[in-house]
Every structure is written in structure tokens, then in C-alpha cells.
Amino acid sequence: MAVREPSGQISIDVIEAIADETGTDPLRMEPPLYEVVDTDALDALYESGAAATVEFEYDGHRVVVDGDGTVTVDGEGGV
């Protein structure tokens, strides 16, 4: 399981957390994150300070972005 504390742009934090969990180069992730989730909307939601939790699946991994911007990636992958 990869956990990443917020550091700036939330979509970048998500990409880096997924890359950490999967051992993948963030620039070579397939499919790109923007094909799975609207990264602009995700960034806007967290920039607005909304206390929301967003969950989605990426290549069999459960990705959770908590209201404080903490990103958690868990799962077996490749499903």
C-alpha cells in the first residue's frame, strides 16, 4: 500500500502514489490517469478546499483521496 501526504497539485500526488505502489515510471503509466478520472476536476475540487473523499479504481488498485489530500493506493492491480 502506498500513502502519500499532500504536496501540491493533487493529481500529481495521485500519479506519484500509483507509480510508487506499482513500481511504474509515472510517465509510462497505462492508461494515463486522465483517461480514468477527470484530473482537472480533481485538482479543482481539492484547490477549493472541499472536504470530500474521492475513490476510484486504477488498473485494479483502489485509490482514495481523503478530504485532507492524503492519497492511498491499495490492491492487487492488473485486474
Side-chain angles (χ1 to χ4, degrees):
M1 174 176 13
V3 177
R4 181 170 291 276
E5 297 296 320
S7 65
Q9 190 175 356
I10 198 70
S11 60
I12 300 299
D13 293 341
V14 170
I15 290 168
E16 290 175 350
I18 293 169
D20 288 349
E21 177 66 15
T22 62
T24 304
D25 180 338
L27 300 176
R28 298 180 190 266
M29 290 172 44
E30 286 296 327
L33 184 62
Y34 63 81
E35 289 184 6
V36 176
V37 67
D38 184 335
T39 54
D40 290 335
L42 186 65
D43 288 336
L45 179 66
Y46 285 89
E47 287 170 7
S48 75
T53 297
V54 175
E55 294 185 36
F56 60 93
E57 204 165 293
Y58 178 88
D59 192 29
H61 293 273
R62 183 171 163 252
V63 180
V64 179
V65 185
D66 289 326
D68 66 359
T70 301
V71 179
T72 305
V73 180
D74 197 5
E76 297 300 315
V79 176

